[in-house]
């Protein structure tokens, strides 16, 4: 086990940010941490990285309890904050050098490692330029580079793709996948479900300061009970179709939109065949049954939607 | 040490690489010296800038002190009121005169000073001090085997300093007061650097690294202090080379004073940052304090606040002026050393308070 948090409680005056939270991170896995704003994700990361101390509970990293400075343990983790954590007037190379030195990398090893990271993140050509001249995606990449310069065993990324273009996002996700394949343990928080579905082998869903669900994406989507949604499209106008579909057992809503009709039924209704039968008098162009996603699971478990403009960051 | 050096290097480099910082650190002081120094020195000549200092004198009529004060070289510096010892003291306490000199029966002089905040008063007291030393030297010379140098307390050549040496020009005056003011303002560099390197996301990331908070804070403070002091040196050298500002012969003492001002400024700004927890609020409060301190110390223009001068003479700028002017033109050594120690002491006090507040902030 790489990290664990047991019964962690953290209060900020009257507000309880973490309420007996439990978490374990296993060697080599990529763990996704999901939760609505204020769920406690950022506080959990702060406790985990030693930026703040918990009021109760025990945090362990690599078998060592995180007490005091815990310098030896900190050497083995890399942290990518949600907001850019760079010296914007210094060059990309200077930034990497600085964080490398803080982690004890020096001399030729530091120079080689800086070159390697610049290459890995596609920043070699702009190594001498200051990040203030970078695009958002390049800044994000450098932000990650500063966290991996010392080859951490546990990489913690707090919403690393906020506010960047799809190309840069894809670059970062591929990079995270590569790190995971190379054996690095990753803790990844994001508001983008498709990112978590893509890179994470296991997902924790947090709400109100504690974990409410834990499992793989498949396990979570199966565990949650969902409404069933079918959308069908006919060639000509079908004014009588909604009324006949509404009579089918289990149908809760029927929403026509031009020649399309979206039908929502109660969980477990399994009435796709009966809905198609209602539409038989018409020429059916397409039928689509919506597959439940992690987003649906999240909504079902927390009753809330994730938003893009997330928490306050580390 | 690794963390300290890395943080020092990155802080130092980031301050010098920021165009705004470079402007503040180099161009701004040079511009100030250029504009104010040139402008003022053109219409305020060296020998008319001193206002006569109101001074009460309790001395024997026809005696050597009265003769000395009435001499053509000395009389322009004073506006004299001849009276007895008791009234001289009362006039000083009421602020009607800047100082009083009371001659004892044995020929000794007792100088009562309401305040040395005024530059004119410093010059006046310096003159009296020299008179006293000359008297002591004369007495020593009259005594067989008397040690004249010891009686003077300094090198013989310095005894006629106020009369023989150049008086401070407007440029000299403003070079000192502005350099002190600029160095005080450099604490704002510390606010910026410390906010970035400790409180911002960059700082938070650094705090997840395997280095102690002391190394991180120390590196940032050292970077800001060294940068600020170097800035002062730029102005210091520039003023001497280009404008011929006279910095005296006790350069180490002047530099120590400037360094004390930098330390105090950094410490005060750090304290305000820990207190307000917001760079803007801390910077605003620091600027307000620096402005007031500079104003009441005569940094912008020479001004007297009457009885309040007794308090204002301990403003940071005023204490620095006391040491620097004293070291250049001769001043009360005891008071100079007290002011220098106070500047270092205040800096230390604010550092301690900052660390107390910081422990709460980062726990």
């Amino acid at each position: 086990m790489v990290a664990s948090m047991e019964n962690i409680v953290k209060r900020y005056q009257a507000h309880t940010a973490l309420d007996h939270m439990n978490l374990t991170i296993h060697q080599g896995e990529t763990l996704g941490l999901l939760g609505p704003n204020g769920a406690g994700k950022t506080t959990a990361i702060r406790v985990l990285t030693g930026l703040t101390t918990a009021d109760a509970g025990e945090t362990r990293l690599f078998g060592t309890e995180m007490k005091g400075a815990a310098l030896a343990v900190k050497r083995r983790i890399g942290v990518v904050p949600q907001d850019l954590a760079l010296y914007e007037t210094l060059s990309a190379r200077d930034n990497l050098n600085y964080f490398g030195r803080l982690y004890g990398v020096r001399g030729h090893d530091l120079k080689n490692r800086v070159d390697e990271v610049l290459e890995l993140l596609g920043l070699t050509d702009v190594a001498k330029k200051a990040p203030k001249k970078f695009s958002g995606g390049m800044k994000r990449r450098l932000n990650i580079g500063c966290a991996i310069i010392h080859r951490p065993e546990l990489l913690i990324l707090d919403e690393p793709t906020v506010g960047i273009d799809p190309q840069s996002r894809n670059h970062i996700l591929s990079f995270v996948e590569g790190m995971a394949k190379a054996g690095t343990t990753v803790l990844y928080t994001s508001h983008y479900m498709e990112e978590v579905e893509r890179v994470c082998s296991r997902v924790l869903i947090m709400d109100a300061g504690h974990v409410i669900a834990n499992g793989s994406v498949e396990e979570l989507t199966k565990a949650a009970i969902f409404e069933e949604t079918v959308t069908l499209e006919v060639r000509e106008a079908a004014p009588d179709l909604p009324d006949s579909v509404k009579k089918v057992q289990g149908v809760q809503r029927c929403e026509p939109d031009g020649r399309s009709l979206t039908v929502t039924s109660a969980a477990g209704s399994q009435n796709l065949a009966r809905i198609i039968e209602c539409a038989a008098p018409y020429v059916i162009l397409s039928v689509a049954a919506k597959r439940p996603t992690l987003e649906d699971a999240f909504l079902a478990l927390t009753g809330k939607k994730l938003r893009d403009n997330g928490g306050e960051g580390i | 040490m690794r963390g300290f050096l890395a943080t020092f290097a990155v802080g130092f480099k980031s301050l010098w690489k920021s165009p705004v910082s470079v402007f503040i650190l180099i161009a701004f002081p040079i511009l100030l010296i250029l504009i104010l120094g040139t402008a003022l020195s053109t219409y305020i000549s060296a020998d008319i800038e001193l206002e006569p200092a109101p001074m009460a004198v309790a001395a024997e009529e026809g005696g050597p002190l009265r003769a000395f004060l009435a001499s053509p070289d000395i009389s322009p510096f004073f506006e004299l009121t001849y009276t007895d010892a008791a009234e001289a003291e009362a006039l000083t306490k009421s602020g009607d005169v800047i100082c009083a000199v009371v001659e004892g029966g044995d020929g000794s002089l007792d100088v009562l000073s309401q305040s040395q905040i005024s530059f004119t008063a410093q010059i006046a007291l310096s003159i009296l001090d020299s008179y006293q030393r000359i008297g002591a030297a004369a007495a020593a010379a009259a005594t067989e085997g008397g040690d004249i140098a010891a009686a003077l307390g300094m090198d013989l050549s310095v005894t006629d300093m106020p009369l023989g040496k150049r008086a401070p020009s407007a440029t000299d005056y403003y070079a000192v007061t502005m350099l002190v003011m600029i160095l005080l303002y450099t604490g704002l560099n510390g606010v910026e650097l410390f906010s970035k390197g400790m409180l911002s996301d960059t700082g938070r990331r650094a705090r997840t690294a395997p280095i102690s908070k002391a190394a991180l804070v120390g590196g940032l403070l050292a970077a800001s202090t060294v940068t600020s002091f170097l800035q002062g040196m730029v102005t210091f050298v520039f003023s001497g080379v280009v404008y011929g500002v006279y910095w005296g012969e006790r350069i180490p003492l002047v530099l120590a004073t400037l360094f004390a001002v930098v330390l105090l400024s950094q410490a005060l700004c750090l304290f305000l940052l820990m207190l307000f927890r917001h760079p803007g609020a801390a910077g605003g409060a620091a600027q307000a304090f620096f402005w007031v301190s500079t104003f009441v110390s005569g940094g912008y223009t020479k001004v007297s606040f009457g009885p309040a001068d007794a308090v204002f003479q301990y403003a940071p700028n005023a204490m620095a002026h006391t040491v620097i002017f004293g070291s250049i033109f001769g001043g009360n050594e005891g008071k100079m050393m007290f002011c220098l120690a106070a500047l270092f002491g205040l800096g230390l006090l604010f550092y301690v308070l900052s660390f107390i507040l910081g422990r709460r902030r980062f726990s």
Side-chain angles (χ1 to χ4, degrees):
Chain A
M1 191 188 305
V2 170
S4 67
M5 297 171 82
E6 282 182 31
N7 285 318
I8 296 294
V9 177
K10 179 65 186 176
R11 294 187 188 90
Y12 294 106
Q13 293 171 340
H15 173 64
T16 302
L18 295 179
D19 185 9
H20 296 90
M21 180 182 174
N22 292 293
L23 170 153
T24 53
I25 306 175
H26 302 290
Q27 178 75 42
E29 75 172 342
T30 301
L31 177 65
L33 191 58
L34 290 178
N37 291 335
K41 305 185 298 290
T42 295
T43 306
I45 291 179
R46 283 185 173 181
V47 171
L48 195 61
T49 55
L51 273 176
T52 190
T53 45
D55 298 318
E58 186 183 82
T59 302
R60 284 183 172 274
L61 277 175
F62 302 100
T64 304
E65 190 173 357
M66 284 291 280
K67 270 187 176 174
L71 300 184
V73 171
K74 284 182 169 184
R75 196 181 298 275
R76 300 169 71 178
I77 64 174
V79 183
V80 182
Q82 180 181 333
D83 294 313
L84 296 168
L86 305 165
Y87 279 94
E88 298 235 352
T89 54
L90 300 185
S91 69
R93 184 176 288 279
D94 283 340
N95 273 282
L96 291 169
N97 275 329
Y98 170 55
F99 286 105
R101 286 192 187 112
L102 286 189
Y103 282 88
V105 189
R106 58 181 86 174
H108 285 299
D109 187 27
L110 178 61
K111 187 186 177 306
N112 294 339
R113 182 60 184 156
V114 167
D115 289 338
E116 198 177 307
V117 170
L118 287 168
E119 180 70 30
L120 189 66
L121 296 169
L123 296 172
T124 305
D125 293 343
V126 291
K128 289 180 182 174
K129 285 189 180 171
K132 64 181 178 183
K133 293 173 184 169
F134 286 6
S135 67
M138 289 161 77
K139 285 180 184 177
R140 287 276 164 197
R141 278 182 269 157
L142 181 60
N143 204 32
I144 292 174
C146 292
I148 60 162
I149 189 75
H150 60 293
R151 301 182 183 87
E153 294 168 58
L154 170 62
L155 179 62
I156 299 170
L157 301 106
D158 189 13
E159 312 214 17
T161 60
V162 169
I164 59 172
D165 59 278
Q167 193 183 355
S168 290
R169 175 176 295 167
N170 190 50
H171 193 143
I172 288 173
L173 292 176
S174 299
F175 167 79
V176 173
E177 286 174 317
M179 290 286 288
K181 270 185 192 165
T184 306
T185 307
V186 179
L187 175 61
Y188 191 96
T189 79
S190 176
H191 278 127
Y192 299 110
M193 289 294 182
E194 66 274 17
E195 290 183 5
V196 175
E197 288 185 10
R198 174 173 162 183
V199 301
C200 297
S201 53
R202 188 162 66 93
V203 178
L204 293 183
I205 296 179
M206 281 187 76
D207 195 25
H210 57 270
V211 175
I212 58 170
N214 175 6
S216 67
V217 173
E218 289 74 23
E219 287 167 346
L220 290 176
T221 51
K222 276 182 190 167
I225 299 170
F226 302 107
E227 293 175 327
E228 295 169 4
T229 304
V230 174
T231 301
L232 54 85
E233 189 183 4
V234 292
R235 192 160 65 187
E236 291 137 11
D240 300 333
L241 183 58
D243 288 336
S244 62
V245 169
K246 274 179 190 171
K247 289 173 188 164
V248 174
Q249 193 178 3
V251 170
Q252 293 176 327
R253 291 190 301 280
C254 197
E255 298 160 72
D257 181 14
R259 283 173 295 172
S260 290
L261 186 69
T262 302
V263 183
T264 307
S265 306
S269 301
Q270 295 186 331
N271 51 15
L272 176 61
R274 288 190 286 275
I275 292 168
I276 292 173
E277 196 177 315
C278 291
Y282 307 98
V283 177
I284 300 172
L285 295 178
S286 67
V287 177
K290 185 173 172 260
R291 188 168 162 255
T293 63
L294 191 55
E295 178 97 42
D296 298 316
F298 186 89
L299 188 62
L301 287 164
T302 66
K304 300 164 191 171
K305 278 192 172 184
L306 283 174
R307 282 184 287 179
D308 280 354
N309 53 344
E312 61 193 54
I314 300 173
Chain B
M1 200 60 185
R2 155 178 54 86
F4 173 85
L5 291 175
T7 309
F8 173 82
V10 83
F12 186 79
K13 210 166 182 178
S14 74
L15 271 181
W16 286 98
K17 278 208 167 182
S18 159
V20 176
S21 292
V22 169
F23 179 78
I24 292 171
L25 293 176
I26 299 175
F28 188 55
I30 290 173
L31 275 175
L32 277 177
I33 293 280
L34 260 168
I35 295 166
L36 289 178
T38 306
L40 290 168
S41 61
T42 54
Y43 68 86
I44 303 178
S45 65
D47 56 354
I48 64 163
E49 81 163 356
L50 294 175
E51 295 290 328
M55 182 170 72
V57 179
E60 184 192 350
E61 197 169 344
L65 178 59
R66 286 203 183 196
F68 172 74
L69 292 172
S71 68
D73 283 340
I74 300 299
S75 59
F77 293 104
F78 299 106
E79 185 185 306
L80 300 172
T81 302
Y82 292 105
T83 181
D84 57 32
E87 198 186 342
E89 186 175 350
L91 287 170
T92 309
K93 280 183 180 170
S94 68
D96 290 331
V97 295
I98 286 172
C99 60
V101 54
V102 179
E103 193 175 39
D106 56 355
S108 64
L109 291 184
D110 188 11
V111 178
L112 309 170
S113 171
Q114 173 66 25
S115 163
Q116 282 191 317
I117 189 73
S118 157
F119 180 59
T120 307
Q122 288 189 35
I123 297 296
L125 290 176
S126 172
I127 291 169
L128 283 171
D129 185 50
S130 294
Y131 171 78
Q132 202 166 14
R133 289 177 194 280
I134 292 167
T143 308
E144 194 175 343
D147 188 339
I148 296 171
L152 283 168
M154 59 179 76
D155 190 80
L156 267 173
S157 63
V158 184
T159 53
D160 64 346
M161 181 191 69
L163 308 179
K165 287 205 170 174
R166 49 174 295 184
S169 68
T171 308
D172 290 339
Y173 181 80
Y174 281 105
V176 172
T177 58
M178 279 198 306
L179 181 52
V180 171
M181 178 193 75
I182 289 163
L183 286 177
L184 212 50
Y185 273 91
T186 58
L188 298 176
N189 293 329
V191 171
E192 186 189 336
L193 192 59
F194 197 82
S195 304
K196 181 71 180 170
M198 194 72 186
L199 304 181
S200 71
D201 291 288
T202 311
R204 275 190 280 275
R205 165 183 263 167
R207 279 159 49 206
T208 65
I211 62 164
S212 67
K213 284 175 197 159
L216 193 59
V217 174
L220 293 168
L221 287 178
S224 180
T225 303
V226 169
T227 306
S228 299
F229 189 66
L230 287 178
Q231 170 204 351
M233 290 307 94
V234 171
T235 310
F236 181 79
V237 172
F238 188 86
S239 65
V241 172
V242 177
Y243 289 102
V245 170
Y246 179 61
W247 288 100
E249 292 164 5
R250 299 170 74 181
I251 298 298
L253 182 59
V254 173
L255 295 183
T257 309
L258 297 177
F259 189 66
V261 172
V262 170
L263 282 182
L264 171 58
S265 169
Q266 304 291 325
L268 177 65
C269 284
L270 181 62
F271 168 73
L272 291 171
L273 191 60
M274 291 295 104
L275 188 66
F276 292 115
R277 301 181 177 193
H278 187 277
Q287 285 190 55
F289 177 80
F290 296 154
W291 190 91
V292 170
S293 176
T294 304
F295 180 68
V296 300
S297 306
Y300 299 116
T301 183
K302 283 177 275 184
V303 60
S304 174
F305 296 92
D309 284 342
V311 176
F312 292 158
Q313 68 178 315
Y314 297 111
N317 302 56
M319 290 198 287
H321 297 168
T322 298
V323 184
I324 296 173
F325 283 130
S327 73
I328 299 171
F329 300 106
N332 183 313
E333 283 290 327
K335 183 156 189 177
M336 284 162 58
M337 289 306 123
F338 171 79
C339 288
L340 184 58
L343 286 170
F344 277 115
L346 278 173
L348 185 64
L349 175 68
F350 280 119
Y351 276 129
V352 171
L353 292 174
S354 304
F355 288 127
I356 290 171
L357 288 176
R359 281 178 71 88
R360 291 184 193 168
R361 172 79 173 80
F362 296 117
S363 64

